[in-house]
Coordinates of all heavy atoms in Angstrom, one line a residue:
E1 N 6.4 73.2 85.1 CA 6.5 71.9 85.8 C 5.3 71.7 86.6 O 4.9 72.6 87.4 CB 7.8 71.8 86.6 CG 7.9 70.5 87.4 CD 9.2 70.5 88.1 OE1 10.3 70.8 87.5 OE2 9.2 70.1 89.3
T2 N 4.6 70.6 86.5 CA 3.4 70.3 87.3 C 3.8 69.2 88.3 O 4.3 68.2 88.0 CB 2.3 69.8 86.4 OG1 2.0 70.8 85.4 CG2 1.0 69.5 87.2
I3 N 3.4 69.5 89.6 CA 3.6 68.5 90.6 C 2.3 68.1 91.1 O 1.4 68.9 91.5 CB 4.4 69.1 91.8 CG1 5.8 69.5 91.3 CG2 4.5 68.2 93.0 CD1 6.6 70.3 92.3
I4 N 2.0 66.8 91.0 CA 0.8 66.2 91.5 C 1.0 65.6 92.8 O 1.8 64.7 93.0 CB 0.3 65.1 90.5 CG1 0.1 65.7 89.1 CG2 -1.0 64.5 91.0 CD1 -0.2 64.7 88.0
P5 N 0.2 66.0 93.8 CA 0.4 65.5 95.2 C -0.1 64.0 95.2 O -1.0 63.6 94.5 CB -0.5 66.4 96.1 CG -1.4 67.0 95.2 CD -0.8 67.1 93.8
D6 N 0.6 63.3 96.1 CA 0.2 61.8 96.2 C -1.3 61.6 96.6 O -1.8 60.6 96.2 CB 1.1 61.2 97.3 CG 2.5 60.9 96.9 OD1 2.8 61.0 95.7 OD2 3.4 60.7 97.8
D7 N -1.9 62.5 97.3 CA -3.2 62.3 97.7 C -4.3 62.9 96.7 O -5.5 62.8 97.0 CB -3.5 63.0 99.1 CG -3.3 64.5 99.1 OD1 -2.7 65.0 98.1 OD2 -3.7 65.1 100.1
A8 N -3.8 63.3 95.5 CA -4.7 63.7 94.5 C -5.6 62.5 94.0 O -5.0 61.5 93.7 CB -4.0 64.3 93.3
R9 N -6.9 62.7 94.1 CA -7.8 61.7 93.7 C -7.9 61.7 92.2 O -8.1 62.7 91.5 CB -9.1 61.9 94.4 CG -9.1 61.8 95.9 CD -10.3 62.2 96.5 NE -10.5 63.7 96.2 CZ -11.6 64.4 96.5 NH1 -12.5 63.8 97.2 NH2 -11.7 65.6 96.2
L10 N -7.8 60.5 91.6 CA -7.8 60.4 90.1 C -9.0 60.9 89.5 O -9.0 61.6 88.5 CB -7.5 58.9 89.7 CG -6.1 58.3 90.2 CD1 -6.0 56.9 89.7 CD2 -5.0 59.2 89.7
E11 N -10.2 60.4 90.0 CA -11.4 60.8 89.4 C -11.9 62.2 89.8 O -12.1 63.1 89.0 CB -12.5 59.8 89.8 CG -12.3 58.5 89.1 CD -13.3 57.4 89.5 OE1 -14.4 57.8 90.0 OE2 -13.0 56.2 89.4
E12 N -11.9 62.5 91.1 CA -12.5 63.7 91.6 C -11.5 64.9 91.3 O -12.0 66.0 90.9 CB -12.7 63.6 93.1 CG -13.8 62.6 93.5 CD -13.3 61.2 93.7 OE1 -12.1 60.9 93.3 OE2 -14.0 60.4 94.2
D13 N -10.2 64.8 91.6 CA -9.3 65.9 91.5 C -8.7 66.0 90.1 O -8.4 67.1 89.6 CB -8.2 65.8 92.5 CG -8.7 65.8 93.9 OD1 -9.7 66.4 94.2 OD2 -8.1 65.1 94.8
L14 N -8.4 64.9 89.4 CA -7.7 64.9 88.1 C -8.7 64.6 87.0 O -8.3 64.7 85.8 CB -6.6 63.9 88.1 CG -5.5 64.1 89.2 CD1 -4.5 63.0 89.2 CD2 -4.9 65.5 89.1
G15 N -9.9 64.3 87.2 CA -10.9 64.1 86.2 C -10.7 62.9 85.3 O -11.2 62.9 84.2
M16 N -10.1 61.9 85.9 CA -9.8 60.7 85.1 C -11.0 59.7 85.2 O -11.5 59.5 86.3 CB -8.5 60.0 85.6 CG -7.3 60.8 85.3 SD -5.8 60.0 85.9 CE -5.6 58.7 84.7
D17 N -11.3 59.1 84.1 CA -12.3 58.0 84.1 C -11.6 56.7 83.8 O -10.4 56.7 83.8 CB -13.5 58.3 83.1 CG -13.0 58.4 81.7 OD1 -11.9 57.9 81.3 OD2 -13.8 58.9 80.8
D18 N -12.3 55.6 83.7 CA -11.7 54.3 83.5 C -10.9 54.2 82.3 O -9.8 53.6 82.2 CB -12.8 53.2 83.5 CG -13.4 53.0 84.9 OD1 -12.7 53.4 85.9 OD2 -14.5 52.4 85.0
V19 N -11.3 54.8 81.2 CA -10.6 54.8 79.9 C -9.3 55.6 80.1 O -8.2 55.2 79.6 CB -11.4 55.4 78.8 CG1 -10.6 55.6 77.5 CG2 -12.7 54.6 78.5
D20 N -9.3 56.7 80.8 CA -8.1 57.5 81.1 C -7.1 56.7 81.9 O -5.9 56.7 81.6 CB -8.4 58.8 81.8 CG -9.2 59.8 81.0 OD1 -9.0 59.9 79.8 OD2 -10.1 60.4 81.7
K21 N -7.6 55.9 82.8 CA -6.7 55.1 83.7 C -6.0 54.0 82.8 O -4.8 53.8 82.9 CB -7.5 54.4 84.8 CG -7.9 55.3 85.9 CD -8.6 54.5 87.0 CE -9.1 55.4 88.1 NZ -9.8 54.5 89.1
I22 N -6.8 53.4 81.9 CA -6.2 52.3 81.0 C -5.2 53.0 80.1 O -4.1 52.4 79.9 CB -7.3 51.6 80.2 CG1 -8.2 50.8 81.2 CG2 -6.7 50.8 79.1 CD1 -9.5 50.3 80.5
E23 N -5.5 54.1 79.6 CA -4.5 54.8 78.7 C -3.3 55.2 79.5 O -2.2 55.0 78.9 CB -5.2 56.0 78.1 CG -4.4 56.7 77.0 CD -5.2 57.8 76.3 OE1 -6.2 57.5 75.7 OE2 -4.8 58.9 76.4
A24 N -3.4 55.7 80.7 CA -2.2 56.1 81.5 C -1.4 54.8 81.8 O -0.2 54.9 81.7 CB -2.7 56.7 82.8
M25 N -2.0 53.7 82.1 CA -1.3 52.5 82.4 C -0.5 52.0 81.2 O 0.7 51.7 81.2 CB -2.3 51.4 82.9 CG -1.5 50.1 83.2 SD -2.7 48.8 83.7 CE -3.5 48.5 82.1
M26 N -1.2 52.0 80.0 CA -0.5 51.6 78.8 C 0.7 52.5 78.4 O 1.7 52.0 78.0 CB -1.5 51.5 77.6 CG -2.6 50.4 77.8 SD -3.9 50.5 76.6 CE -3.1 50.5 75.1
R27 N 0.5 53.8 78.6 CA 1.6 54.7 78.3 C 2.7 54.6 79.3 O 3.9 54.7 78.9 CB 1.1 56.2 78.3 CG 0.2 56.5 77.1 CD -0.3 57.9 77.2 NE -1.1 58.2 76.1 CZ -1.0 59.3 75.4 NH1 -0.1 60.2 75.6 NH2 -1.8 59.5 74.4
T28 N 2.4 54.3 80.5 CA 3.5 54.0 81.5 C 4.2 52.8 81.2 O 5.5 52.8 81.2 CB 2.8 53.9 82.9 OG1 2.1 55.1 83.3 CG2 3.9 53.6 84.0
E29 N 3.5 51.7 80.9 CA 4.2 50.5 80.5 C 5.1 50.6 79.3 O 6.2 50.2 79.2 CB 3.2 49.4 80.3 CG 2.5 48.9 81.6 CD 1.4 47.8 81.3 OE1 0.8 47.9 80.3 OE2 1.3 47.0 82.2
E30 N 4.5 51.3 78.3 CA 5.3 51.5 77.0 C 6.5 52.4 77.3 O 7.6 52.2 76.8 CB 4.3 52.2 76.0 CG 5.0 52.3 74.6 CD 4.0 52.8 73.6 OE1 3.0 52.2 73.4 OE2 4.2 54.0 73.1
G31 N 6.3 53.5 78.0 CA 7.4 54.4 78.3 C 8.5 53.9 79.1 O 9.7 54.2 78.8
L32 N 8.2 53.0 80.1 CA 9.2 52.4 80.9 C 9.7 51.0 80.3 O 10.7 50.5 80.8 CB 8.7 52.2 82.3 CG 8.4 53.5 83.1 CD1 7.8 53.1 84.5 CD2 9.7 54.3 83.3
G33 N 8.9 50.5 79.4 CA 9.2 49.1 78.9 C 9.0 48.0 79.9 O 9.8 47.1 80.0
V34 N 8.0 48.2 80.8 CA 7.7 47.2 81.8 C 6.2 46.9 81.8 O 5.4 47.5 81.2 CB 8.1 47.7 83.2 CG1 9.6 48.0 83.3 CG2 7.3 49.0 83.6
D35 N 5.9 45.8 82.6 CA 4.5 45.4 82.8 C 4.2 45.7 84.2 O 4.9 45.3 85.1 CB 4.3 43.9 82.5 CG 4.4 43.6 81.1 OD1 3.9 44.4 80.2 OD2 4.9 42.5 80.7
V36 N 3.2 46.5 84.5 CA 2.8 46.8 85.9 C 1.6 45.9 86.2 O 1.0 45.3 85.4 CB 2.4 48.3 86.0 CG1 3.5 49.2 85.7 CG2 1.2 48.7 85.2
D37 N 1.3 45.8 87.5 CA 0.2 45.1 88.0 C -1.1 45.8 87.6 O -1.4 46.8 88.2 CB 0.3 44.9 89.5 CG -0.8 44.1 90.2 OD1 -1.9 44.0 89.6 OD2 -0.5 43.6 91.2
D38 N -1.7 45.2 86.6 CA -2.9 45.9 86.0 C -4.0 46.1 87.1 O -4.6 47.2 87.1 CB -3.5 45.1 84.9 CG -2.6 44.9 83.7 OD1 -1.5 45.5 83.7 OD2 -2.9 44.2 82.7
D39 N -4.3 45.1 87.9 CA -5.4 45.2 88.8 C -5.0 46.3 89.9 O -5.9 47.1 90.2 CB -5.6 43.9 89.6 CG -6.2 42.8 88.7 OD1 -6.9 43.2 87.7 OD2 -5.9 41.7 88.9
R40 N -3.8 46.4 90.3 CA -3.4 47.4 91.3 C -3.5 48.8 90.7 O -3.9 49.7 91.3 CB -2.0 47.0 91.8 CG -1.6 47.9 93.0 CD -0.3 47.3 93.6 NE 0.1 48.2 94.7 CZ 1.2 48.1 95.3 NH1 2.1 47.2 94.9 NH2 1.5 48.9 96.3
F41 N -3.0 48.9 89.5 CA -3.0 50.2 88.8 C -4.4 50.7 88.6 O -4.7 51.8 88.9 CB -2.2 50.1 87.5 CG -1.9 51.4 86.8 CD1 -0.7 52.0 86.8 CD2 -2.9 52.2 86.2 CE1 -0.4 53.2 86.2 CE2 -2.7 53.4 85.6 CZ -1.4 53.9 85.6
L42 N -5.2 49.8 88.0 CA -6.6 50.2 87.7 C -7.5 50.4 88.9 O -8.5 51.1 88.8 CB -7.2 49.3 86.7 CG -6.5 49.2 85.3 CD1 -7.1 48.1 84.5 CD2 -6.5 50.5 84.6
S43 N -7.2 49.8 90.0 CA -8.0 50.0 91.2 C -7.5 51.2 92.0 O -8.1 51.6 93.0 CB -8.0 48.8 92.1 OG -6.7 48.5 92.6
A44 N -6.4 51.8 91.6 CA -5.9 53.0 92.4 C -6.9 54.1 92.4 O -7.5 54.4 91.4 CB -4.6 53.5 91.7
R45 N -7.0 54.8 93.5 CA -7.9 55.9 93.7 C -7.2 57.2 93.8 O -7.7 58.3 93.5 CB -8.8 55.7 94.9 CG -9.7 54.4 94.8 CD -10.5 54.2 96.0 NE -11.3 55.4 96.4 CZ -12.6 55.6 96.0 NH1 -13.1 54.8 95.2 NH2 -13.2 56.7 96.4
T46 N -5.9 57.2 94.1 CA -5.1 58.4 94.2 C -3.8 58.2 93.4 O -3.4 57.1 93.0 CB -4.6 58.6 95.7 OG1 -3.7 57.6 96.1 CG2 -5.8 58.7 96.6
F47 N -3.2 59.4 93.1 CA -1.9 59.4 92.4 C -0.8 58.6 93.1 O -0.1 57.8 92.5 CB -1.4 60.8 92.1 CG -0.2 60.9 91.3 CD1 -0.2 60.5 90.0 CD2 1.0 61.3 91.9 CE1 1.0 60.6 89.2 CE2 2.2 61.3 91.2 CZ 2.2 61.0 89.8
G48 N -0.8 58.7 94.4 CA 0.2 57.9 95.2 C 0.0 56.4 95.1 O 1.0 55.7 95.0
E49 N -1.2 56.0 95.0 CA -1.5 54.6 94.7 C -1.0 54.1 93.4 O -0.6 53.0 93.2 CB -3.0 54.2 94.9 CG -3.4 54.4 96.4 CD -4.9 54.2 96.6 OE1 -5.6 53.9 95.6 OE2 -5.3 54.4 97.8
V50 N -1.1 55.0 92.4 CA -0.6 54.7 91.0 C 0.9 54.5 91.1 O 1.5 53.6 90.6 CB -1.0 55.8 90.0 CG1 -0.2 55.6 88.7 CG2 -2.5 55.8 89.7
V51 N 1.6 55.5 91.8 CA 3.0 55.4 91.9 C 3.4 54.1 92.6 O 4.3 53.4 92.2 CB 3.6 56.6 92.7 CG1 5.0 56.4 93.1 CG2 3.3 57.9 92.0
E52 N 2.7 53.7 93.7 CA 3.0 52.4 94.4 C 2.8 51.2 93.5 O 3.5 50.2 93.6 CB 2.1 52.3 95.6 CG 2.5 53.3 96.7 CD 1.5 53.3 97.9 OE1 0.7 52.4 98.0 OE2 1.6 54.2 98.7
A53 N 1.8 51.3 92.5 CA 1.6 50.2 91.6 C 2.7 50.1 90.6 O 3.0 49.0 90.1 CB 0.2 50.4 90.9
V54 N 3.3 51.2 90.2 CA 4.4 51.2 89.2 C 5.7 50.9 89.8 O 6.6 50.3 89.1 CB 4.4 52.6 88.5 CG1 5.6 52.7 87.5 CG2 3.1 52.8 87.7
L55 N 6.0 51.3 91.1 CA 7.3 51.1 91.7 C 7.9 49.8 91.5 O 9.1 49.7 91.2 CB 7.3 51.6 93.1 CG 7.4 53.0 93.4 CD1 7.2 53.3 94.9 CD2 8.7 53.6 92.9
P56 N 7.2 48.7 91.8 CA 7.9 47.4 91.7 C 8.4 47.1 90.3 O 9.6 46.6 90.2 CB 6.8 46.4 92.1 CG 5.8 47.2 92.9 CD 5.8 48.5 92.3
A57 N 7.7 47.4 89.3 CA 8.1 47.1 87.9 C 9.3 48.1 87.5 O 10.2 47.7 86.9 CB 7.0 47.3 86.9
A58 N 9.1 49.3 88.0 CA 10.2 50.3 87.6 C 11.5 50.0 88.3 O 12.6 50.1 87.7 CB 9.7 51.7 88.0
S59 N 11.4 49.5 89.6 CA 12.6 49.2 90.3 C 13.4 48.0 89.7 O 14.6 47.9 89.8 CB 12.3 49.0 91.8 OG 11.6 47.9 92.0
R60 N 12.6 47.1 89.1 CA 13.3 45.9 88.5 C 14.2 46.3 87.3 O 15.1 45.6 87.0 CB 12.2 45.0 88.0 CG 11.6 44.1 89.1 CD 10.8 43.0 88.6 NE 9.6 43.3 87.8 CZ 8.4 43.6 88.3 NH1 8.2 43.5 89.6 NH2 7.4 43.9 87.5
I61 N 13.9 47.5 86.7 CA 14.8 47.9 85.6 C 15.7 49.0 86.0 O 16.4 49.7 85.2 CB 13.9 48.4 84.4 CG1 13.1 49.6 84.8 CG2 13.1 47.3 83.8 CD1 12.5 50.4 83.6
G62 N 15.8 49.3 87.4 CA 16.7 50.2 87.9 C 16.2 51.7 87.9 O 17.0 52.6 88.1
F63 N 14.9 51.9 87.5 CA 14.4 53.2 87.5 C 14.0 53.7 88.9 O 13.4 53.0 89.6 CB 13.1 53.2 86.6 CG 12.5 54.6 86.3 CD1 13.1 55.4 85.3 CD2 11.5 55.1 87.1 CE1 12.5 56.6 85.1 CE2 11.0 56.3 86.8 CZ 11.5 57.1 85.8
K64 N 14.5 54.9 89.3 CA 14.2 55.4 90.6 C 13.3 56.6 90.5 O 13.6 57.6 89.8 CB 15.5 55.8 91.3 CG 16.3 54.5 91.6 CD 17.5 54.9 92.4 CE 18.4 53.6 92.6 NZ 19.6 53.9 93.3
I65 N 12.2 56.6 91.1 CA 11.2 57.7 91.0 C 11.6 58.8 92.1 O 11.4 59.9 91.8 CB 9.8 57.2 91.2 CG1 9.4 56.3 90.1 CG2 8.8 58.4 91.4 CD1 8.0 55.7 90.1
F66 N 12.1 58.3 93.2 CA 12.4 59.3 94.3 C 13.9 59.3 94.5 O 14.6 58.3 94.5 CB 11.7 59.0 95.6 CG 10.2 58.9 95.4 CD1 9.5 57.8 95.3 CD2 9.5 60.1 95.3 CE1 8.2 57.7 95.1 CE2 8.1 60.1 95.2 CZ 7.5 58.9 95.1

C-alpha cells in the first residue's frame, strides 16, 4: 500500500508532467464516472490540491475519500 502525502508536489516529488496530469484526470473521471473541474485539476501543484479538485464531483455520487 502506498500513501501519498497531501503536500507531495506533482512535478518535483512524483515526477508528473502535463501529459501525466491529463492522463490521471481522465482515469479519475472514468474510474468514478464523474466530470471533475479540469482547470482546477490541471492547475494543481500538490496531491492534496488534486484531491480537493476531485472531492466536489466525487461527493455528488456519494463517494467518500475520507
